Amino acid sequence: MPKGFCSVFIFFFLSSFVHAQVQPEHARIQLEEERDPLLSKEITDVIDAERAAQEASPVSTSPLTVPMPNPNTGVLRSTSTQPIDRNSVLAFEEFSWGVRAFHNGYYNSALVNFEKALGFVPKNALYRLWLGFANYYAGLEESALAQWETVINEDVAGYWLQSRVDTMLFRSSPYYDNLSQDTWAERGETPGRSGRILRFLRPTSVVADNLSGGAYVASYGTNTVAKFDVNGAVLVRYSGGLVQFDGPWDVLPLDDGRFFVSEFRSKRISLMSHSGFRLKTFGSLPNEGGLTSPQYLASTEDGYLYVTDWATKRVLKYDFNGKFIMTIGEPSPLFEGLGHPGGIAASATELYVVDVDRRRVCVFDHYGNYLYEMGRGELISPEGLRLRKGKYLIVADGTRVIEGNIEDKTFIPITDLVGKAENIMQTAFDANGALLVTDNKTNRLVYLSRLSSIYGGLSVEIRRIMSDRFPNVVMEVAVQSRSGEPVVGLQPGNFLLYDNGHPVASFNLGAYDNEPSIPVQASLMVEASPEALSMVDLFANGIGQLNQAILGKGNLKTFWISEAPMEDIVFTGYDDIEGYRQKVSKMVNPNWRFDAGLRMAASALMPRAGKQAVFFLTTGTQNGYAFNQYQPAELATYLKNNGIMFFPIYVLPTQRNEFYDLISRETGGHSLYLYRPQGMNGVIDAVKKVPTGIYTISYTSQENDDFGRSYITTDLEVVLQKESGKTVSGYFAPLR
């Protein structure tokens, strides 16, 4: 019998033997994880004992083929035929099950498999890298860093892994909390004219479009509004329809895709559809406020629009239907009046208006009462104004951009565009954190990023690869800035994908952030405390509201948070309060575990695709067991690493919990009161609007999967102007 045939026969025999031995073990571990993710330590202890017994047995050798590290291309592209022992075959089998468990969202099971694989072959860098992946998504960042540092020190990983470690360390460093001290540097530029191509002329304003990640530019010189994608390419130019724009000055996008445009020469405000059709005009008639030269726009969450009017030296307030409400900024006994007003910005309680003549920022409340001023003696030629994070005012000040701190009234310069600025009219922060600047004289749009982001690059993670329909492959990818903000609006041209080292020329790109059909996958935690038992009517109502709110928009699982948290697959709330009381009375325990419940509720979401959120119906109290095993920061990390938002829902308006609120803020959620005026209506829609930076890439693989036994690598690079990031992963096709 030929020697090669013997080798292949031995490989299939041993692989089949190991598969038969390991598969039941894997299935048991997966079942345990679904029941309670906190049991993984106990399972690991059992597996360690079994591994020790196996290592004590004699070792046989056979010239088979398994992955070996390749220092030139990184640890994930690594197949080499070398004589190996039986332990390597057993390790590879465990590794393959670990990769499959990982991509199905069973990270605790994957941890066990990768640890067993390393038990058989302790120095395999590929298995150690994947053990780091599993630790990271299980919320164990320190363990992940330890594994990856070992791989890096062995010099078998590419630069991408060192970059990922550097990003993790940066986000946990004191410097991360002082990003305002970082320098802004130019990342890219879009000129208004390139040869015969005219994009815009004399731009007066730039406004971020959070829906697409791009921006609008008001082109005063061409009477158009240009919409750009995240790369600075023109998507569409709006002219106003049958009645064209006449001196467009500023743009204000709405959440539904419509947008307002102020038209300086035609003395009106126009409401446009998302496709550019004029829906409504207002402002020019006396009963509409009598605009004579409208310029800058701002809005508040309660549905009011504010317009600065240059010639009449005032601000006009409207509702979104165009109804005139009042004027702001005229002289009074307590206020000398505005000079010519420039840019305007609005917070939840205050209005900030640039007074161009007196070189200051005047502050009013929403009713027009003058409060105080900022910047007198520090501003040179102020024009446009933006509010950042409710705390900082970004002022376009002639040949520079400066930042004012509302709390201490101080101003510091941000950029002068390396001395090339001539007349900066307006700025904006796009959905990805870039600072956009328009210069009216040099006729250009400039993109700036934090210097640390340009040098540190983007954070790119392949969170899962779905290969159950191989050769059709779908991967879920998260793209973030170095500081952790989601990067939205990317196009196929921003992605470079390789399958087993071969470039994938054709793939389809989807995004969770701009596809309304993407379902919301949610878990509802119900506090089963003695205090909650005394409020059964409130809790029953809350559960019913959430189940109603998610109908047709996603899926909701309910979990009772008791001493031993438990999933309830049939509970959706009851109109019968007594029936609910009987149900919850069986679950109530003074030793209820918040941390265990949160991890269980979150782990139930991980195998499911879509935007993910955990809601917690709570009294706002906590006991001594709330953080018995995991601290709030660790829980927040666990959710953040898996893209899961947390929303505490308080049944009482007076009771809040600082730790629940902390986890909410860190994960992109926010705290709610059950009996707010709109109830739970809109909660699921709010989840859909939270940017995630998660994309899906689907393609047809051309690789040989060897009936599901070959490990296929994937390399992914994302490039956005001068910023880029890379990651490496891999997958197995289904066994056949």
Side-chain angles (χ1 to χ4, degrees):
M1 186 180 294
K3 181 177 180 181
F5 179 83
C6 292
S7 299
V8 173
F9 176 79
I10 293 172
F11 172 75
F12 278 104
F13 174 78
L14 285 175
S15 297
S16 299
F17 170 77
V18 174
H19 176 66
Q21 299 299 315
V22 175
Q23 189 174 19
E25 175 79 76
H26 176 268
R28 178 179 69 82
I29 294 169
Q30 183 167 306
L31 181 62
E32 292 285 5
E33 175 164 359
E34 291 181 66
R35 183 166 63 88
D36 187 349
L38 301 179
L39 293 178
S40 59
K41 178 63 169 63
E42 300 173 13
I43 296 172
T44 305
D45 292 340
V46 174
I47 299 301
D48 287 343
E50 295 175 356
R51 181 191 306 154
Q54 289 174 331
E55 292 175 346
S57 62
V59 176
S60 61
T61 62
S62 177
L64 306 180
T65 302
V66 296
M68 300 294 290
N70 184 330
N72 296 320
T73 57
V75 296
L76 287 182
R77 185 166 303 117
S78 51
T79 55
S80 176
T81 303
Q82 297 184 15
I84 58 170
D85 58 27
R86 176 175 174 272
N87 274 6
S88 296
V89 178
L90 295 171
F92 185 62
E93 187 73 15
E94 287 291 341
F95 169 70
S96 69
W97 282 116
V99 171
R100 290 184 168 94
F102 178 92
H103 288 313
N104 282 312
Y106 300 117
Y107 302 125
N108 289 333
S109 296
L111 279 170
V112 174
N113 290 124
F114 296 142
E115 287 176 353
K116 284 191 70 174
L118 283 168
F120 290 123
V121 186
K123 294 185 178 181
N124 188 293
L126 175 62
Y127 304 162
R128 192 167 298 282
L129 175 78
W130 274 89
L131 180 58
F133 285 153
N135 273 297
Y136 178 82
Y137 289 107
L140 307 173
E141 284 197 347
E142 290 188 5
S143 297
L145 285 170
Q147 301 299 333
W148 290 339
E149 290 285 3
T150 300
V151 174
I152 291 170
N153 291 337
E154 292 176 1
D155 199 26
V156 292
Y159 75 90
W160 66 271
L161 184 59
Q162 181 64 65
S163 177
R164 182 164 183 171
V165 168
D166 290 344
T167 297
M168 290 175 62
L169 294 174
F170 170 77
R171 292 179 185 177
S172 62
S173 68
Y175 181 73
Y176 177 64
D177 295 324
N178 294 280
L179 285 176
S180 60
Q181 300 176 7
D182 200 353
T183 302
W184 289 93
E186 187 171 325
R187 190 187 76 185
E189 176 183 326
T190 298
R193 185 191 296 273
S194 297
R196 300 177 63 181
I197 299 174
L198 180 62
R199 301 181 182 89
F200 53 82
L201 183 65
R202 294 179 63 196
T204 50
S205 183
V206 57
V207 187
D209 176 29
N210 292 328
L211 293 178
S212 69
Y216 294 91
V217 172
S219 177
Y220 189 83
T222 61
N223 288 324
T224 58
V225 171
K227 186 176 181 180
F228 292 82
D229 68 12
V230 70
N231 298 296
V234 176
L235 292 172
V236 63
R237 294 176 70 197
Y238 302 106
S239 61
L242 294 176
V243 180
Q244 296 192 341
F245 292 136
D246 189 9
W249 194 278
D250 198 7
V251 182
L252 181 70
L254 302 178
D255 290 341
D256 58 7
R258 298 177 300 162
F259 57 96
F260 287 107
V261 178
S262 60
E263 299 180 61
F264 185 85
R265 287 193 294 263
S266 60
K267 307 174 183 180
R268 66 189 175 197
I269 306 298
S270 295
L271 176 62
M272 312 299 296
S273 71
H274 70 280
S275 54
F277 292 103
R278 196 184 306 270
L279 301 175
K280 179 182 298 187
T281 62
F282 58 90
S284 58
L285 299 177
N287 65 337
E288 296 174 339
L291 290 170
T292 62
S293 46
Q295 291 188 320
Y296 294 99
L297 305 173
S299 66
T300 51
E301 291 185 357
D302 53 0
Y304 290 103
L305 176 70
Y306 298 86
V307 185
T308 61
D309 198 44
W310 172 264
T312 60
K313 300 182 180 182
R314 58 183 181 160
V315 176
L316 285 79
K317 180 177 181 178
Y318 300 88
D319 67 15
F320 277 10
N321 293 316
K323 179 182 177 181
F324 173 64
I325 306 298
M326 64 181 299
T327 60
I328 298 171
E330 295 179 310
S332 72
L334 299 177
F335 179 56
E336 62 183 318
L338 286 170
H340 290 100
I344 184 171
S347 70
T349 58
E350 296 178 334
L351 295 175
Y352 307 90
V353 183
V354 168
D355 187 333
V356 175
D357 295 351
R358 298 181 177 91
R359 301 175 186 178
R360 61 178 177 172
V361 175
C362 297
V363 185
F364 306 87
D365 65 19
H366 289 187
Y367 302 101
N369 299 305
Y370 173 74
L371 301 177
Y372 58 92
E373 69 173 41
M374 294 174 57
R376 190 189 288 265
E378 297 184 73
L379 303 180
I380 299 173
S381 183
E383 182 67 31
L385 185 68
R386 294 291 181 205
L387 180 66
R388 184 172 72 89
K389 294 184 176 181
K391 180 180 178 181
Y392 302 102
L393 291 175
I394 310 301
V395 184
D397 193 34
T399 59
R400 62 179 185 164
V401 178
I402 63 174
E403 179 180 80
N405 188 312
I406 294 173
E407 294 179 353
D408 60 20
K409 312 298 187 298
T410 59
F411 286 82
I412 59 172
I414 291 181
T415 181
D416 62 356
L417 303 184
V418 199
K420 298 179 181 179
E422 293 187 24
N423 184 26
I424 297 175
M425 294 287 288
Q426 184 60 291
T427 65
F429 285 92
D430 72 9
N432 299 324
L435 175 60
L436 280 56
V437 178
T438 52
D439 192 311
N440 184 265
K441 285 189 177 180
T442 61
N443 197 41
R444 60 181 182 147
L445 171 64
V446 182
Y447 294 78
L448 301 123
S449 287
R450 300 285 187 184
L451 192 62
S452 61
S453 295
I454 293 177
Y455 287 108
L458 300 172
S459 170
V460 182
E461 301 174 14
I462 297 177
R463 289 188 168 171
R464 73 177 69 196
I465 300 177
M466 292 155 275
S467 58
D468 53 310
R469 297 183 180 180
F470 187 86
N472 298 320
V473 179
V474 180
M475 63 173 60
E476 186 180 272
V477 179
V479 185
Q480 298 177 339
S481 68
R482 190 174 188 233
S483 55
E485 290 89 3
V487 175
V488 303
L490 297 178
Q491 308 294 319
N494 295 109
F495 293 82
L496 301 173
L497 176 64
Y498 296 85
D499 205 33
N500 247 14
H502 303 131
V504 178
S506 177
F507 58 84
N508 294 318
L509 181 69
Y512 284 179
D513 293 320
N514 59 11
E515 295 183 10
S517 61
I518 295 293
V520 172
Q521 306 294 350
S523 291
L524 170 60
M525 300 166 55
V526 181
E527 178 186 315
S529 68
E531 293 83 2
L533 181 60
S534 66
M535 305 177 191
V536 291
D537 54 337
L538 301 180
F539 276 78
N541 185 277
I543 295 169
Q545 281 195 50
L546 275 172
N547 276 277
Q548 187 67 31
I550 205 167
L551 287 177
K553 300 176 181 179
N555 303 286
L556 183 69
K557 289 185 174 183
T558 303
F559 294 84
W560 295 101
I561 310 306
S562 188
E563 184 174 25
M566 180 181 298
E567 179 182 351
D568 191 329
I569 61 174
V570 298
F571 186 74
T572 58
Y574 295 102
D575 294 329
D576 177 10
I577 300 300
E578 187 56 36
Y580 175 83
R581 188 191 306 276
Q582 294 176 8
K583 179 83 173 179
V584 73
S585 62
K586 299 176 182 178
M587 307 299 303
V588 164
N589 192 298
N591 300 329
W592 59 282
R593 294 272 311 279
F594 171 78
D595 58 353
L598 180 56
R599 286 188 65 96
M600 175 181 282
S603 66
L605 299 175
M606 292 173 188
R608 314 181 75 174
K611 284 197 170 182
Q612 299 177 338
V614 174
F615 299 99
F616 179 36
L617 196 58
T618 176
T619 62
T621 60
Q622 70 179 64
N623 57 20
Y625 298 89
F627 306 105
N628 189 53
Q629 187 167 353
Y630 299 97
Q631 294 302 304
E634 295 174 307
L635 294 169
T637 296
Y638 179 57
L639 297 183
K640 270 200 307 184
N641 290 354
N642 290 282
I644 300 174
M645 296 167 269
F646 180 67
F647 294 81
I649 302 174
Y650 297 100
V651 297
L652 297 175
T654 57
Q655 186 69 50
R656 299 289 288 267
N657 186 291
E658 61 175 316
F659 299 114
Y660 303 158
D661 291 346
L662 167 66
I663 298 171
S664 177
R665 289 193 303 272
E666 290 293 313
T667 59
H670 54 269
S671 302
L672 305 170
Y673 168 51
L674 177 62
Y675 286 99
R676 59 184 190 156
Q678 64 271 48
M680 292 296 100
N681 291 332
V683 168
I684 304 303
D685 292 331
V687 172
K688 285 192 172 188
K689 290 179 182 178
V690 176
T692 63
I694 297 178
Y695 300 82
T696 58
I697 299 175
S698 55
Y699 63 97
T700 300
S701 176
Q702 304 298 319
E703 302 305 312
N704 178 14
D705 70 313
D706 191 20
F707 303 98
R709 298 180 183 277
S710 290
Y711 175 64
I712 302 174
T713 65
T714 54
D715 293 40
L716 181 66
E717 186 170 5
V718 178
V719 179
L720 177 59
Q721 295 177 332
K722 291 182 180 179
E723 296 182 54
S724 66
K726 181 180 178 180
T727 191
V728 181
S729 186
Y731 63 94
F732 288 88
L735 286 168
R736 302 191 301 281

